[in-house]
Amino acid sequence: VIYDRLTLPSALFKGLTEKHFRERPGTVYQLYQSDFGITVLRAHERARATAADRNAVRVLGLLAGQPVMQVRRTALTFGDRTVEHRVSVINTAHHDYVNVLSRPAGG
């Protein structure tokens, strides 16, 4: 349903391998916190409708040019330092994209 492409600053994620990333026990942001001491405090997202490119066609099994939703996210930590750029391509033919924003308890 979702194909993500993440770009991370190598200086912040020294030693991160594809195997380590794929075999993480929790979420991506839990990995950043537990293994690299990086806390994602907030993120900016921009969403738009677009046509499936060849990567989305291959990964999601879509037809070339099929409508999809693209979400571009920049995740930030303390001091508004960027820790992640993410582009998500979402097949919304049978699913909705839902993003729940919440504040930590007591914050």
Side-chain angles (χ1 to χ4, degrees):
V1 174
I2 299 178
Y3 166 53
D4 288 324
R5 292 183 314 254
L6 284 74
T7 304
L8 307 172
S10 60
L12 298 179
F13 295 95
K14 290 184 183 192
L16 178 62
T17 64
E18 183 178 345
K19 182 178 193 279
H20 185 183
F21 185 85
R22 287 186 183 273
E23 295 177 356
R24 69 187 182 278
T27 69
V28 173
Y29 290 172
Q30 287 171 333
L31 171 73
Y32 297 171
Q33 176 67 52
S34 64
D35 292 20
F36 299 95
I38 296 170
T39 302
V40 173
L41 297 176
R42 61 193 180 93
H44 296 280
E45 286 189 342
R46 295 184 72 85
R48 69 183 183 101
T50 190
D53 64 17
R54 69 178 164 182
N55 290 323
V57 166
R58 180 180 51 82
V59 174
L60 299 175
L62 303 173
L63 299 173
Q66 184 172 336
V68 292
M69 186 164 95
Q70 181 187 76
V71 178
R72 293 182 173 271
R73 175 187 294 180
T74 300
L76 305 161
T77 189
F78 297 99
D80 281 342
R81 187 169 50 157
T82 299
V83 297
E84 175 195 87
H85 290 288
R86 182 184 307 207
V87 179
S88 301
V89 177
I90 306 158
N91 178 3
T92 58
H94 303 289
H95 303 278
D96 292 337
Y97 174 74
V98 178
N99 188 1
V100 178
L101 304 173
S102 62
R103 268 183 114 149

